[in-house]
Amino acid sequence: MRRFPPSRIVCLTEETVETLYLLGEQDRIVGVSGYTVRPPEARREKPRVSAFTSADMPKILALEPDLVLTFSDLQADIVADLIRAGVAVHAFNQRDIAGVLAMIRTVGALVGAADRAEARVKGYEARLAEMEAAARGRPRPKVYFEEWDDPLISGIGWVSELIEAAGGEDVFPGLRVCKSARDRIVSPDAVIAAAPDVILASWCGKKVQREKIRRRAGWDAIPAVRNGRIVEIKSALILQPGPAALTDGLDAIRAAIVAA
């Protein structure tokens, strides 16, 4: 990093973009992921320089970033290329709510806005505690979350925790510690046996087809299917481990559970 705080930041995933905007530090951002949709103005204002597992390296280098923010092992090759090019990189790998809150604190510290970041975190913690308190003592509907449909992938860490915070019971809680999607594959029969009351679906980057879910062999025996409780949550609200998941994503989960 050539200077502190960095004045030219490239964000290769959306959650750090949204965090910087919420902290009032958006003027530091000089490039974003092509998948960025939150906040909407970021897509209009900032050059798009990457997908998720690929990036336009010449375009990034031309922006002369002081810092590039990345996420997960899936961007490891991009990170390696940036480091070889002499660029400062911070690679996040948050997979649970605690990790999301730590990411927000770290981004704040990196841009000299630690106090504002801490205030945000305290607000999110209070909101989670309030929702957990409201759900205490109430029936907890069983919830199956589907991140992908072929193969069936469930159990993403922060989503599992948010389901519990919102008053539901994740039917595959043991999968939340598995970082790799391949380790979170479930069988159709396992979902039938779990008998969820609610199915939450967010098919990473494509529209959920409820009818396709309803037509799966044997799934007409699942209470969620039988009672029409198949709910799509937009990927931008729940699959980004950042502020969106703790706000609009949590609200969407809670609404689905309350209606069950």
Side-chain angles (χ1 to χ4, degrees), residues 43 73 235:
R43 194 168 182 85
D73 57 299
S235 298

Side-chain angles (χ1 to χ4, degrees), residues 7-202:
S7 60
R8 301 183 63 80
I9 300 175
V10 170
C11 301
L12 298 189
T13 53
E14 181 181 76
E15 62 276 0
T16 50
V17 174
E18 184 172 17
T19 298
L20 286 166
Y21 269 84
L22 289 170
L23 295 177
E25 299 292 338
Q26 63 270 17
D27 289 348
R28 300 181 187 276
I29 303 173
V30 295
V32 300
S33 162
Y35 291 111
T36 296
V37 296
R38 288 173 66 98
E41 56 266 33
R43 194 168 182 85
R44 298 192 300 267
E45 296 170 352
K46 308 298 182 181
R48 283 166 260 170
V49 298
S50 72
F52 185 60
T53 57
S54 63
D56 188 331
M57 198 62 58
K59 193 170 184 178
I60 292 174
L61 297 178
L63 292 170
E64 299 183 341
D66 302 309
L67 178 64
V68 177
L69 301 178
T70 71
F71 170 71
S72 91
D73 57 299
L74 296 176
Q75 293 191 331
D77 290 342
I78 302 173
V79 169
D81 289 342
L82 288 166
I83 292 172
R84 292 189 189 102
V87 178
V89 180
H90 188 101
F92 289 101
N93 206 15
Q94 68 273 16
R95 307 287 182 154
D96 53 21
I97 292 175
V100 172
L101 298 176
M103 178 275 293
I104 295 168
R105 288 185 169 107
T106 300
V107 169
L110 287 169
V111 299
D115 289 348
R116 275 171 279 151
E118 187 62 27
R120 284 276 169 185
V121 167
K122 293 299 184 187
Y124 295 140
E125 288 176 333
R127 193 164 183 273
L128 283 162
E130 181 181 344
M131 194 165 286
E132 288 169 349
R136 201 167 294 132
R138 296 175 178 270
R140 301 183 73 87
K142 293 189 292 182
V143 181
Y144 163 61
F145 177 75
E146 186 169 292
E147 180 188 354
W148 194 246
D149 64 317
D150 187 20
L152 303 184
I153 297 176
S154 185
I156 196 164
W158 64 90
V159 179
S160 178
E161 291 180 326
L162 290 174
I163 287 169
E164 291 189 356
E169 176 189 343
D170 181 6
V171 297
F172 297 119
L175 297 181
R176 71 171 59 165
V177 298
C178 301
K179 295 180 179 180
S180 172
R182 71 173 64 91
D183 295 328
R184 292 185 280 106
I185 294 172
V186 298
S187 71
D189 287 344
V191 181
I192 295 170
D197 302 297
V198 180
I199 293 175
L200 302 178
S202 187

